[in-house]
């Protein structure tokens, strides 16, 4: 390795290529070997040879890519997408290895940040500002040129979407992350290179997937969530919705069990969790 290149990880694991030059390989099998990660490349070494993947060529890191039963039987793997190729990598601490790749690609990168782009459902008059990225376990950090510091906790992300927007007079890729700040639902927009946006999305996707809003709720339960989402105090919900206090308490209990609300303190003050924000937002959009 050159003087400017340094090793970040050297581990054993198993891997398989499932797409080569754009062609899906369905008869692939896992191979054991060594994975060496530096700040410039990922090297996969096995008895059959060596594959070198420049970090600059990695387009994204994704989840499952079950091409056959042999692959599907393995629970903990990630897919590395580069060019017209896809490699699957598995090991005991695969999430930690994924984080090391994300950090190697993203740490120190300069992106454009609009924060908050939306707050409490209202579009804000925020401008795009340069920010330096730093990824830690469970957190995406952005040091903004103005001196501000923006943190997005992965477990707090309700939704994450990709889009193309006009940013500083050019069409650029943008990711839109919904999370909370000081108790309010906000959306932060991030724009940068295609690779940086795809990698940031892979960082934040874990929270969005966990907090997906696929739960069947009654009309009254949705009304309670929408009221809290709109800023109504949990103590004022019974009067605001003209629902008996005991009935609202029962709804709170059920929504806490469903991981939609969290209890802030006894005497039933509650706050929306990411899944709850998703449900409330979808319910309001459907009205």
């Amino acid at each position: 390795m050159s003087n400017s290149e340094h090793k970040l990880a050297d581990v054993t694991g198993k891997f398989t290529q499932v797409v080569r030059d754009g062609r899906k390989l369905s008869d692939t099998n896992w191979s054991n070997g060594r994975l060496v990660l530096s700040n410039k490349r990922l090297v996969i070494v096995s008895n059959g040879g060596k594959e070198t993947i420049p970090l600059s060529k990695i387009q994204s890191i994704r989840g499952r890519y079950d091409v056959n039963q042999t692959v599907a039987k393995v629970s903990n793997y990630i897919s590395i997408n580069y060019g017209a190729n896809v490699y699957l990598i598995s090991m005991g601490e695969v999430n930690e290895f994924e984080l090391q790749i994300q950090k190697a690609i993203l740490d120190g990168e300069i992106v454009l940040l609009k924060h908050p782009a939306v707050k409490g459902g209202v579009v804000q008059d925020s401008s795009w500002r340069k920010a330096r990225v730093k990824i830690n376990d469970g957190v995406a950090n952005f040091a903004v040129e103005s001196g501000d510091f923006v943190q997005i906790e992965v477990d707090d992300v309700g939704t994450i979407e990709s889009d193309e927007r006009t940013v500083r007079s050019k069409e650029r890729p943008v990711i839109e992350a919904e999370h909370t700040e000081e108790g309010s639902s906000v959306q932060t927009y991030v724009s940068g290179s295609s690779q940086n946006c795809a990698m940031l999305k892979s960082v934040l996707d874990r929270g969005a997937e966990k907090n997906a809003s696929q739960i069947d709720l009654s009309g009254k339960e949705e009304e309670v969530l929408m009221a809290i989402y709109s800023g109504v105090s949990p103590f004022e919900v019974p009067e605001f919705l003209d629902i008996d206090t005991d009935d609202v308490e029962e709804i709170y209990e059920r929504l806490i069990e469903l991981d939609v609300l969290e209890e802030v303190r006894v005497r039933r003050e509650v706050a929306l969790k990411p899944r709850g924000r998703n449900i409330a937002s979808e319910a309001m959009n459907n009205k």
Side-chain angles (χ1 to χ4, degrees), residues 98-142:
E98 179 183 12
L99 177 63
Q100 288 178 304
I101 299 174
Q102 292 166 337
K103 286 175 65 63
I105 293 173
L106 289 171
D107 279 2
E109 288 292 293
I110 302 297
V111 297
L112 293 172
L113 194 78
K114 180 180 276 194
H115 175 83
V118 180
K119 184 174 183 178
V122 179
V123 176
Q124 303 294 295
D125 186 24
S126 304
S127 59
W128 288 99
R129 296 175 294 172
K130 290 182 179 179
R132 188 178 298 275
V133 182
K134 175 72 173 176
I135 303 299
N136 292 327
D137 188 12
V139 183
N141 303 291
F142 301 90

Side-chain angles (χ1 to χ4, degrees), residues 7 27 59 79-80 82 100 114 145 193 240 253 278:
K7 187 187 295 184
D27 60 346
Q59 297 161 314
S79 61
I80 305 292
Y82 66 103
Q100 288 178 304
K114 180 180 276 194
E145 61 183 341
S193 68
F240 181 80
E253 290 288 353
N278 286 348

